[in-house]
Amino acid sequence: MVQLEINGIAISVPAGTTILEAVKGSGIEIPNLCYDKDLTAVGACRLCVVKVEGFRNLPAACSTAVQEGMRVLTEDNEVVEARKTILELMLANHPNDCMTCERTGNCRLQDYCYIYGIKSSPFSGEKKEFPIDSVNHLIERDHNKCILCGKCVRVCSEVQVINATEFTDRGFYTKVTTPFDKPLDTDYCRFCGQCIEMCPTGALINKQIKGTRPWEIKKVRTTCPFCGTGCNFDLNIKDGKVIGVSANENSPVNGRALCVKGRFHTDLIYSPDRVTKPLIREKGVLKETTWEKALNYVAENLSRIKAEYGPDSIAALSSARCTIEDNYIMQKFMRAVVGTNNVDHCART
Ligand code: FES
């Protein structure tokens, strides 16, 4: 354990803990944009600078490990001025269109500008004018709003292990993009949407919930119905309709991780292709019927086939989208009633 002082309070934390992690749970807030507890700390945004006695410069709290006897000040005039300048430098090359930006109300850059009273930037000069990548139907990329924190790159590489994007070019023209700067849906991206979840600004947008302000959304936690993993997430509901999904970090199975199906395919709830009524195919055409007629039809035909060809001429396919109980009943029905072990499942693992 390492003993140190933060804002005059003596604390003791395990060796290797960073200053940012050391203040967790203490009520002390250190602003941060490029830090995430699940990702490697890179010290890219510098917003988390603090003052450490004996240090020549203001170190980044997210990437500076505690040392025995360290005395840290998380906020004083010098630190606040440094943070203000950092925010002003970010705004100098930012569209600053908060009135119409999709992330208004859910933007960390906006939050910190509010907290530190930054209305505009005193630095003028060239602004980035990258085209917006919106050709796929799930994720919109606006490089002009990117602050190059790299969280999207790290989550893609360190958590999802996809490596769909990286920093490209240098200096003013640096941006995060795919190999050869191709659109996301060319080859690389698996559309898990983890990058959207990590992005602290409006650089990455979930197109499904575009056009909705965060305060219009009611969140309801549920379990993903797509496979047997049991991931939890928050359904985003507006006016009684599910419009999208966002991760819920308290999910015991998956944390904030989601796959493309869980994150983006809730639109199937309202698909006109869903079978919502029993249908019987007559002369090649599916016709609506009652549950009684449909079940009698199935029972008569299964009995006939079993009598004519034996139970092993029948097989059942079940689904990971059904509950465990439904799947259990299906196999029980096949084994105990039909008399066959011909049972399979779309997620046969
Ligand atoms: Fe520490 Fe960005 S949060 S440098």
Side-chain angles (χ1 to χ4, degrees):
M1 299 298 281
V2 173
Q3 323 290 326
L4 70 155
E5 230 180 60
I6 297 185
N7 296 350
I9 302 162
I11 62 162
S12 172
V13 290
T17 306
T18 63
I19 297 171
L20 192 68
E21 284 160 351
V23 301
K24 262 189 200 155
S26 68
I28 299 168
E29 293 285 336
I30 299 179
N32 59 85
L33 283 169
C34 69
Y35 166 81
D36 186 273
K37 65 181 172 52
D38 295 329
L39 305 176
T40 309
V42 290
C45 73
R46 314 307 290 178
L47 197 64
C48 66
V49 287
V50 291
K51 194 179 259 183
V52 178
E53 204 175 274
F55 276 44
R56 228 160 21 110
N57 300 320
L58 301 176
C62 70
S63 51
T64 306
V66 295
Q67 290 168 22
E68 187 64 36
M70 205 179 220
R71 288 156 75 100
V72 181
L73 252 189
T74 61
E75 200 146 317
D76 74 349
N77 280 346
E78 193 186 350
V79 169
V80 168
E81 285 311 310
R83 288 178 188 157
K84 283 182 173 181
T85 306
I86 289 161
L87 289 168
E88 285 169 349
L89 284 164
M90 284 180 191
L91 287 198
N93 189 17
H94 198 80
N96 301 340
D97 59 348
C98 298
M99 284 78 75
T100 53
C101 179
E102 288 297 325
R103 285 297 279 267
T104 272
N106 186 22
C107 171
R108 304 269 303 277
L109 179 61
Q110 188 184 48
D111 289 345
Y112 289 131
C113 286
Y114 181 76
I115 291 168
Y116 288 95
I118 306 297
K119 293 183 178 164
S120 58
S121 177
F123 305 109
S124 58
E126 206 180 340
K127 291 227 179 198
K128 291 180 200 167
E129 284 184 14
F130 292 119
I132 294 172
D133 173 13
S134 196
V135 292
N136 71 81
H137 63 287
L138 299 176
I139 302 174
E140 184 171 286
R141 291 190 298 162
D142 184 348
H143 299 291
N144 306 308
K145 290 182 180 167
C146 176
I147 56 166
L148 301 175
C149 68
K151 281 162 86 173
C152 56
V153 174
R154 280 174 283 149
V155 77
C156 192
S157 142
E158 296 173 13
V159 178
Q160 297 302 113
V161 202
I162 303 293
N163 296 298
T165 57
E166 244 310 346
F167 290 103
T168 184
D169 292 320
R170 291 289 175 268
F172 186 73
Y173 298 102
T174 304
K175 67 173 177 178
V176 171
T177 190
T178 55
F180 308 108
D181 204 10
K182 295 275 200 280
L184 274 183
D185 59 357
T186 308
D187 235 347
Y188 319 100
C189 179
R190 302 290 183 273
F191 289 98
C192 64
Q194 291 289 81
C195 53
I196 304 174
E197 206 73 50
M198 287 286 164
C199 182
T201 71
L204 293 164
I205 297 294
N206 180 341
K207 289 171 81 173
Q208 283 186 330
I209 52 178
K210 195 176 167 186
T212 307
R213 291 304 197 194
W215 52 86
E216 297 174 318
I217 292 173
K218 183 180 158 203
K219 293 193 174 178
V220 177
R221 185 161 157 188
T222 191
T223 303
C224 181
F226 266 98
C227 78
T229 305
C231 298
N232 278 195
F233 52 59
D234 288 336
L235 291 174
N236 288 203
I237 296 166
K238 184 185 177 190
D239 300 333
K241 194 171 174 207
V242 177
I243 58 167
V245 156
S246 51
N248 183 321
E249 68 176 327
N250 298 319
S251 307
V253 172
N254 58 308
R256 287 173 293 174
L258 289 172
C259 74
V260 61
K261 291 185 274 185
R263 188 178 301 274
F264 288 114
H265 287 293
T266 46
D267 52 352
L268 67 78
I269 296 169
Y270 305 107
S271 169
D273 295 336
R274 286 189 68 172
V275 180
T276 55
K277 301 206 170 86
L279 306 168
I280 292 181
R281 196 182 301 276
E282 286 173 19
K283 294 190 181 135
V285 181
L286 285 169
K287 292 206 176 136
E288 198 179 317
T289 185
T290 63
W291 276 109
E292 199 183 350
K293 278 189 191 158
L295 289 171
N296 283 339
Y297 180 85
V298 172
E300 280 163 18
N301 280 289
L302 285 182
S303 303
R304 178 182 55 77
I305 294 165
K306 182 178 169 182
E308 268 180 49
Y309 304 104
D312 280 340
S313 59
I314 299 170
L317 283 172
S318 189
S319 170
R321 291 186 205 165
C322 301
T323 62
I324 290 171
E325 291 79 3
D326 286 342
N327 279 305
Y328 177 81
I329 288 168
M330 172 61 95
Q331 64 81 31
K332 195 73 175 170
F333 171 75
M334 290 304 288
R335 293 194 168 108
V337 180
V338 177
T340 179
N341 288 322
N342 293 341
V343 183
D344 210 342
H345 186 285
C346 68
R348 60 162 53 193
T349 49

